[in-house]
Coordinates of all heavy atoms in Angstrom, one line a residue:
S257 N -68.0 -12.7 241.3 CA -69.3 -13.4 241.4 C -69.3 -14.7 242.1 O -70.4 -15.2 242.4 CB -69.9 -13.6 239.9 OG -69.0 -14.5 239.2
G258 N -68.1 -15.2 242.4 CA -68.1 -16.6 242.9 C -68.0 -16.7 244.4 O -68.3 -17.8 244.9
T259 N -67.7 -15.7 245.2 CA -67.4 -15.8 246.6 C -68.7 -16.3 247.4 O -68.6 -17.3 248.1 CB -66.9 -14.5 247.2 OG1 -65.8 -14.0 246.5 CG2 -66.6 -14.7 248.7
A260 N -69.8 -15.6 247.1 CA -71.0 -16.0 247.8 C -71.5 -17.4 247.4 O -72.0 -18.2 248.2 CB -72.1 -15.0 247.6
I261 N -71.4 -17.7 246.1 CA -71.8 -19.0 245.6 C -70.9 -20.1 246.1 O -71.4 -21.2 246.4 CB -71.8 -18.9 244.0 CG1 -72.9 -18.0 243.6 CG2 -72.0 -20.3 243.5 CD1 -73.0 -17.8 242.1
L262 N -69.6 -19.8 246.2 CA -68.7 -20.8 246.8 C -69.1 -21.2 248.2 O -69.2 -22.3 248.6 CB -67.3 -20.2 246.8 CG -66.2 -21.1 247.5 CD1 -66.1 -22.4 246.7 CD2 -64.9 -20.4 247.5
A263 N -69.5 -20.2 249.0 CA -69.9 -20.4 250.4 C -71.2 -21.2 250.4 O -71.4 -22.2 251.2 CB -70.1 -19.1 251.2
H264 N -72.1 -20.9 249.5 CA -73.4 -21.7 249.4 C -73.1 -23.1 249.0 O -73.7 -24.0 249.7 CB -74.3 -21.0 248.4 CG -75.6 -21.7 248.1 ND1 -76.6 -21.7 249.0 CD2 -75.9 -22.6 247.1 CE1 -77.6 -22.4 248.5 NE2 -77.2 -23.0 247.3
V265 N -72.3 -23.4 248.0 CA -72.1 -24.7 247.6 C -71.3 -25.5 248.6 O -71.7 -26.7 248.9 CB -71.3 -24.7 246.2 CG1 -70.9 -26.1 245.8 CG2 -72.1 -24.1 245.1
R266 N -70.4 -24.9 249.3 CA -69.6 -25.6 250.3 C -70.6 -26.0 251.5 O -70.4 -27.0 252.1 CB -68.5 -24.8 250.8 CG -67.3 -24.9 249.9 CD -66.1 -24.0 250.4 NE -64.9 -24.3 249.5 CZ -63.8 -23.5 249.6 NH1 -63.8 -22.4 250.4 NH2 -62.8 -23.8 248.8
A267 N -71.5 -25.1 251.8 CA -72.4 -25.3 252.9 C -73.4 -26.5 252.6 O -73.7 -27.3 253.5 CB -73.2 -24.1 253.3
H268 N -73.8 -26.6 251.4 CA -74.8 -27.6 251.1 C -74.3 -28.9 250.5 O -74.9 -29.9 250.5 CB -75.8 -27.0 250.1 CG -76.7 -25.9 250.7 ND1 -76.3 -24.6 250.9 CD2 -78.0 -26.0 251.2 CE1 -77.3 -23.9 251.4 NE2 -78.3 -24.8 251.7
L269 N -73.1 -28.8 249.9 CA -72.5 -30.0 249.2 C -71.1 -30.4 249.7 O -70.6 -31.4 249.4 CB -72.4 -29.7 247.7 CG -73.7 -29.6 246.9 CD1 -73.4 -29.3 245.5 CD2 -74.5 -30.9 247.0
G270 N -70.6 -29.5 250.6 CA -69.2 -29.8 251.0 C -69.0 -31.1 251.7 O -67.9 -31.7 251.6
E271 N -70.0 -31.6 252.4 CA -69.9 -32.9 253.1 C -70.2 -34.1 252.2 O -69.9 -35.2 252.6 CB -70.9 -33.0 254.3 CG -70.6 -31.9 255.4 CD -71.6 -32.0 256.5 OE1 -72.5 -32.9 256.4 OE2 -71.4 -31.3 257.5
W272 N -70.7 -33.8 251.0 CA -71.1 -34.9 250.1 C -70.1 -35.2 249.0 O -70.1 -36.2 248.3 CB -72.5 -34.6 249.5 CG -73.5 -34.4 250.6 CD1 -74.0 -33.2 251.0 CD2 -74.1 -35.4 251.4 NE1 -74.9 -33.4 252.0 CE2 -75.0 -34.8 252.3 CE3 -74.0 -36.8 251.5 CZ2 -75.7 -35.4 253.2 CZ3 -74.7 -37.5 252.4 CH2 -75.6 -36.8 253.3
V273 N -69.2 -34.2 248.7 CA -68.2 -34.4 247.7 C -66.8 -34.3 248.3 O -66.7 -33.9 249.5 CB -68.3 -33.3 246.6 CG1 -69.6 -33.5 245.8 CG2 -68.2 -31.9 247.1
R274 N -65.8 -34.6 247.6 CA -64.4 -34.6 248.1 C -64.0 -33.2 248.4 O -63.4 -32.9 249.4 CB -63.4 -35.2 247.1 CG -62.0 -35.2 247.6 CD -61.0 -35.8 246.6 NE -61.2 -37.2 246.6 CZ -60.3 -38.1 246.0 NH1 -59.2 -37.6 245.4 NH2 -60.5 -39.4 246.0
A275 N -64.3 -32.2 247.5 CA -63.8 -30.8 247.7 C -64.6 -29.9 246.7 O -65.2 -30.4 245.8 CB -62.3 -30.7 247.4
V276 N -64.6 -28.6 247.1 CA -65.2 -27.6 246.2 C -64.1 -26.6 246.0 O -63.5 -26.0 246.9 CB -66.4 -27.0 246.8 CG1 -67.0 -25.9 245.9 CG2 -67.5 -28.0 247.1
Q277 N -63.8 -26.3 244.7 CA -62.7 -25.4 244.4 C -63.2 -24.3 243.5 O -63.9 -24.5 242.5 CB -61.6 -26.2 243.7 CG -60.4 -25.3 243.2 CD -59.6 -24.6 244.4 OE1 -59.3 -25.3 245.4 NE2 -59.4 -23.4 244.3
L278 N -62.8 -23.1 243.8 CA -63.2 -21.9 242.9 C -62.0 -21.5 242.1 O -60.9 -21.4 242.5 CB -63.6 -20.7 243.8 CG -63.8 -19.4 243.1 CD1 -65.1 -19.5 242.2 CD2 -63.9 -18.2 244.0
V279 N -62.3 -21.4 240.8 CA -61.3 -20.8 239.8 C -61.7 -19.4 239.6 O -62.8 -19.2 239.0 CB -61.2 -21.6 238.5 CG1 -60.3 -20.9 237.5 CG2 -60.7 -23.0 238.8
P280 N -60.9 -18.4 240.0 CA -61.4 -17.0 239.9 C -61.4 -16.5 238.5 O -60.8 -17.1 237.6 CB -60.3 -16.3 240.7 CG -59.1 -17.1 240.7 CD -59.6 -18.5 240.6
F281 N -62.2 -15.4 238.3 CA -62.2 -14.8 237.0 C -60.8 -14.4 236.5 O -60.0 -13.9 237.3 CB -63.1 -13.5 237.0 CG -63.1 -12.8 235.7 CD1 -63.9 -13.2 234.7 CD2 -62.2 -11.7 235.5 CE1 -63.9 -12.5 233.4 CE2 -62.2 -11.0 234.3 CZ -63.0 -11.4 233.3
D282 N -60.5 -14.7 235.3 CA -59.2 -14.4 234.7 C -59.4 -13.9 233.3 O -59.9 -14.5 232.5 CB -58.3 -15.7 234.7 CG -56.8 -15.4 234.4 OD1 -56.5 -14.8 233.3 OD2 -56.0 -15.7 235.2
I283 N -58.9 -12.7 233.1 CA -59.1 -12.0 231.8 C -58.4 -12.8 230.6 O -58.9 -12.8 229.5 CB -58.5 -10.6 231.8 CG1 -59.0 -9.8 230.5 CG2 -57.0 -10.6 232.0 CD1 -60.5 -9.6 230.4

Side-chain angles (χ1 to χ4, degrees):
S257 63
T259 304
I261 293 177
L262 175 64
H264 174 79
V265 172
R266 281 180 172 165
H268 289 83
L269 294 175
E271 296 182 357
W272 303 103
V273 297
R274 177 180 289 195
V276 181
Q277 177 64 47
L278 175 69
V279 175
F281 175 81
D282 192 302
I283 190 64

